[in-house]
Amino acid sequence: MLGPRVWSSVRQGLSRALSSTVGGWASGEGRKVDISGIYPPVTTPFTATAEVDYGKLEENLHKLGTFPFRGFVVQGSNGEFPFLTSSERLEVVSRVRQALPRDKLLLAGSGCESTQATVEMTVSMAQVGADAAMVVTPCYYHGRMNSAALIHHYTKVADLSPIPVVLYSVPANTGLDLPVDAAVTLSQHPNIVGIKDSGGDVTRIGLIVHKTRRQDFQVLAGSAGFLLASYAVGAVGGVCALANVLGAQVCQLERLCLTGQWEDAQKLQHRLIEPNTAVTQRFGIPGLKKTMDWFGYYGGPCRAPLRELSAPQEEALRLDFTSNGWL
Amino acid sequence: MLGPRVWSSVRQGLSRALSSTVGGWASGEGRKVDISGIYPPVTTPFTATAEVDYGKLEENLHKLGTFPFRGFVVQGSNGEFPFLTSSERLEVVSRVRQALPRDKLLLAGSGCESTQATVEMTVSMAQVGADAAMVVTPCYYHGRMNSAALIHHYTKVADLSPIPVVLYSVPANTGLDLPVDAAVTLSQHPNIVGIKDSGGDVTRIGLIVHKTRRQDFQVLAGSAGFLLASYAVGAVGGVCALANVLGAQVCQLERLCLTGQWEDAQKLQHRLIEPNTAVTQRFGIPGLKKTMDWFGYYGGPCRAPLRELSAPQEEALRLDFTSNGWL
Amino acid sequence: MLGPRVWSSVRQGLSRALSSTVGGWASGEGRKVDISGIYPPVTTPFTATAEVDYGKLEENLHKLGTFPFRGFVVQGSNGEFPFLTSSERLEVVSRVRQALPRDKLLLAGSGCESTQATVEMTVSMAQVGADAAMVVTPCYYHGRMNSAALIHHYTKVADLSPIPVVLYSVPANTGLDLPVDAAVTLSQHPNIVGIKDSGGDVTRIGLIVHKTRRQDFQVLAGSAGFLLASYAVGAVGGVCALANVLGAQVCQLERLCLTGQWEDAQKLQHRLIEPNTAVTQRFGIPGLKKTMDWFGYYGGPCRAPLRELSAPQEEALRLDFTSNGWL
Amino acid sequence: MLGPRVWSSVRQGLSRALSSTVGGWASGEGRKVDISGIYPPVTTPFTATAEVDYGKLEENLHKLGTFPFRGFVVQGSNGEFPFLTSSERLEVVSRVRQALPRDKLLLAGSGCESTQATVEMTVSMAQVGADAAMVVTPCYYHGRMNSAALIHHYTKVADLSPIPVVLYSVPANTGLDLPVDAAVTLSQHPNIVGIKDSGGDVTRIGLIVHKTRRQDFQVLAGSAGFLLASYAVGAVGGVCALANVLGAQVCQLERLCLTGQWEDAQKLQHRLIEPNTAVTQRFGIPGLKKTMDWFGYYGGPCRAPLRELSAPQEEALRLDFTSNGWL
């Protein structure tokens, strides 16, 4: 439960949100926030008894603070947000806000299943200091989440959010790809600034960039495995689980892409694919956290029902890093 | 939010749960609860402003009370449970408990994403009067929900639940079929009494019945479309969305199966397939609620992001009932 | 059962077919062939050098001839038909015809990718003695095989086939489920007599039976795993790979279903599920052929690229039979 | 049917194949053929009565000859090869060979379901003048086509092929993605020179490039929709259905990528995505052929069961070209 100190900070966050962050576009100046750059989707550290370990969280952020990230995603899929209570979700964001320098963007995952809950969580996230809300598609009833339903959902959220909204499509978890036509329609909303696309379909990413080119709308790759290719087709950054352990390298890949050093970029990208797949699809958050332990961060356990890796899995994970020269 | 009256009832429920319901198997008498029979998975009625309409809920239950159901499932997928707050989930169960005669079983959906939250919700469901907990597979990280993870999850829940646990596999929503080997292992837990299987794979249902034949373990079909076939391979009942509108017919189908009148059963089953598909896969909860309106119940709106049917969808829905002689 | 009268009409049909193409049934006798019953889909035996071993084929048929099968399917998916040349396909059917008593139906798989090739193969199959053609859905371009395309395809084939046509839907191989509406439309064709449905979706099977009830149209289950359930919803038989090794048992299951001994049927069905899954989905044709070797038939090698089972696979296969009391 | 003239050319082709084409790597010089560049996968023109129209084929090739393609793919998926007889497949390749200048590579699709048939077709393709064989994964039994089976299959084909072999993975048709580890193993075969990957997963393409970097092995993108991104991660060309109608533009995109003009490349790539999707996934070969008619080539009808586009589909197809400024 959020204590008084936190809620005080919530109130401060609210007034800050209403006066400053939103002000930009709401006042008609028409400049949406620029979300280009690299973001680690931070993990939520837990103690051995599965409590959120805020101290370790801050330590991780402190170490990650040395890299030229644009900001941090808090409570993306890698943050185990479905395992946190509402209070924990807000407290984590609040703590990250306090730990971050002001120039780092804090994108907070605020998606819930119902539109109403998503609105409330988004408003609360703004109050505790999020600069933008990253809103995953609702998914339990994905069979009925057609374009009309999703457009209605996101429009409502964006209408009522005091902070800019980033769409978030992650079919591996949700069973649902936000349809391109829905993304294009939503790109016209003044409070929707971009999309994080984790599906890895670069044809689709290129098409979204193309069809939203007349909007102030930015596309972030949702994984380091297709970061170079995404830059090549017009994405402006990435939310990369791998940046939690190879932060320097992912930022280096960004720099190579932005400065047109494609040959070096390609070589670096190649060496990141297997490690990236290992900490995402292949071994998931347990793999990411185990790797964090290896790289000097605090990974620690996941909440159940996620399970620790077995010894052979751990070995395979390690091989994906050693064979590419990272361990 | 649950008011004082409810929480008082929670406490009473707790003591009742600890003294009686659990006692059965915990004391070593070895008789698990018998869950055989037909259950409508009740919908959650909402007002025009999307508040839970407890009055309409009670009215619906009153009308449904005239059929020989074994009991009611509250907060299965058709209950829009992902759209309810924890308080609402408990309050709904509490109200249903109060509205039901004691001889009707109340199976309450208590699944959450984390094991811990599921345990807490299950305990709370018991406290507000649920006779058994129906626990859906966690799904956001379904890519990592292998047998080991699911066995661990359900074992923990069943260990700590004061009421019997029913496994719940609904791949259309979760992207995940509870593996047969996991179901078989879990069937040996003294506090796990059965599974509701909504996947419609009757080979699988037969295999689960077969491989759990030495356990006190029962299988319920998760939909009226394959109810007859499920009885034929050894299921003992069904949780059928269609029973919310064609309660007499679904109970009649049960009776024909139980009394071996397979020819008549087949004819009736045939006429129920299209209506059933219409209120489940084809048009989902909006279709079910619309049909409830037609049949004299309160359907009403869904919470967003679920949307009302369009006029052509409504017509197609109606046709699925009229062409089979039900409207 | 095909009587002499039918065969007379077949012969007339054949000669007429060669002159005018459409035949026997068009003359208004109006009785379609009755395909109800159990069929093993025979495997194609190969020598060590991958030649068709016609001698072994005949030996297998001789042994299988002791069971009360309605007939045999030649060149279903288990016949490795995609690996045979056109000549081999016809020669195999011709040999089977010669080896079979006249009262056994011979259903020959005649599906090809193009409509034209399928027509030609179907006519040829008739010429070498097939009683009916089992026509699998074309599949390479399954993304474009909608109802309209499939209705057109099958109508053409049925129009030009001198023998009755059985639709064949096997999504595990083709990636394509023949849509129910297409099956219903096609059931009205005077030369289409039924469907073999291998998808295992018993709701769908029930619906097809229901919606074709006014036609002379029969449904065969495509696997022994859901044979009892299929009978329960109105199927009239099955094409069962398992019948190649447990022929007596599959016929016994048929008898129990037809005589309404559902309890015994259920027990038997249960014990057949794992063996059936083993020789179909789990280990495929290599598993089926290996099991044939165990049961006194000639299984032998498959044509490449199908591979022999590994030793651990073989052990797992055996366990699926021993644990159910069949070995 | 191949006439005497053709078979004479076959025999010449055979001796040519054995003396020259193979010589390269077989003699130990170690230079595999360089397949980098752009290839249209040519369609097979049919007359109104569904005969192969060789005259129109030559006319199309003549028109396509004005673009700087590296060569042509004959009997890729767009060539409707599953609808052609073996004789037609060879005759088409033979005609294309005769119509092409010697410096244009002819990649001939020679995949069949069985290994043996694929070997024979590959040898025959070499005899009629193919420079390399593009071998699609067998697919009917895709459930059993694991890495071991596919490695065995391709090794056999490559061992016996007189011309270099290009692997071909097209999951939209085959339901099967050639596993990366199989591709990597096969890249070491002296007669396997590359892969055409039509799956569109650029992470996978990058990984294949990376893991085969020490081999003489090249990757071609299988579609124009992800051509730029594929170049960015190390592919060396593409087999692009779209090049049948926008040949100049696809070649221009290649040039922009090869000369590092990524900004212009991106703009061009963007405008090609929708037209490309239209003539592949969205409307398939009927869409491609219809578009060919618009662009001055002969498209004509497909063989059944492929169907013509409906009027609304045709309109949608046209819009995908007009809205991007190509019509």
Side-chain angles (χ1 to χ4, degrees), chain A residues 155-318:
Chain A
T155 299
K156 208 79 179 175
V157 173
D159 282 351
L160 297 173
S161 170
I163 49 176
V165 167
V166 178
L167 311 173
Y168 178 19
S169 182
V170 57
N173 288 326
T174 61
L176 176 70
D177 229 351
L178 182 70
V180 170
D181 73 288
V184 171
T185 298
L186 290 166
S187 73
Q188 300 165 30
H189 192 289
N191 203 23
I192 294 178
V193 298
I195 184 170
K196 171 190 174 190
D197 193 321
S198 296
D201 179 348
V202 77
T203 306
R204 172 187 151 91
I205 290 177
L207 185 59
I208 292 175
V209 171
H210 179 50
K211 293 184 78 90
T212 61
R213 67 192 179 279
R214 299 205 181 83
Q215 310 302 328
D216 230 345
F217 188 81
Q218 296 176 310
V219 178
L220 299 176
S223 197
F226 48 93
L227 184 59
L228 160 56
S230 297
Y231 273 114
V233 299
V236 300
V239 179
C240 305
L242 191 64
N244 281 297
V245 287
L246 295 179
Q249 291 80 355
V250 177
C251 289
Q252 167 74 350
L253 179 53
E254 173 197 31
R255 208 179 55 78
L256 292 171
C257 291
L258 292 179
T259 56
Q261 302 177 66
W262 294 101
E263 214 164 314
D264 286 349
Q266 191 187 106
K267 278 183 202 143
L268 179 53
Q269 172 69 84
H270 283 173
R271 293 173 58 208
L272 297 179
I273 293 176
E274 283 178 305
N276 180 70
T277 301
V279 299
T280 55
Q281 288 158 248
R282 192 169 180 203
F283 297 115
I285 308 176
L288 176 59
K289 286 191 161 178
K290 174 54 67 185
T291 312
M292 289 177 72
D293 287 332
W294 294 339
F295 278 88
Y297 302 92
Y298 179 82
C302 294
R303 277 197 172 160
L306 287 179
R307 311 263 297 155
E308 278 200 344
L309 299 189
S310 66
Q313 287 177 318
E314 217 174 286
E315 215 164 315
L317 171 66
R318 182 172 280 274

Side-chain angles (χ1 to χ4, degrees), chain A residues 113-191:
Chain A
E113 284 291 333
S114 81
T115 304
Q116 181 60 25
T118 305
V119 167
E120 287 169 12
M121 181 59 78
T122 303
V123 170
S124 298
M125 287 296 192
Q127 289 169 341
V128 294
D131 295 309
M134 181 164 281
V135 181
V136 71
T137 55
C139 65
Y140 192 76
Y141 302 108
H142 60 261
R144 299 205 67 72
M145 289 299 103
N146 57 18
S147 286
L150 291 163
I151 289 171
H152 187 268
H153 175 76
Y154 279 110
T155 299
K156 208 79 179 175
V157 173
D159 282 351
L160 297 173
S161 170
I163 49 176
V165 167
V166 178
L167 311 173
Y168 178 19
S169 182
V170 57
N173 288 326
T174 61
L176 176 70
D177 229 351
L178 182 70
V180 170
D181 73 288
V184 171
T185 298
L186 290 166
S187 73
Q188 300 165 30
H189 192 289
N191 203 23

Side-chain angles (χ1 to χ4, degrees), chain B residues 67-111:
Chain B
F67 304 115
F69 296 129
R70 175 72 179 93
F72 293 83
V73 165
V74 184
Q75 283 160 53
S77 297
N78 287 292
E80 294 175 64
F81 76 87
F83 298 160
L84 303 184
T85 65
S86 297
S87 300
E88 287 172 335
R89 289 180 73 168
L90 293 171
E91 179 71 13
V92 166
V93 169
S94 171
R95 296 293 189 103
V96 172
R97 178 71 284 166
Q98 291 163 45
L100 286 190
R102 281 307 313 171
D103 65 327
K104 296 289 184 186
L105 275 187
L106 194 169
L107 308 192
S110 65

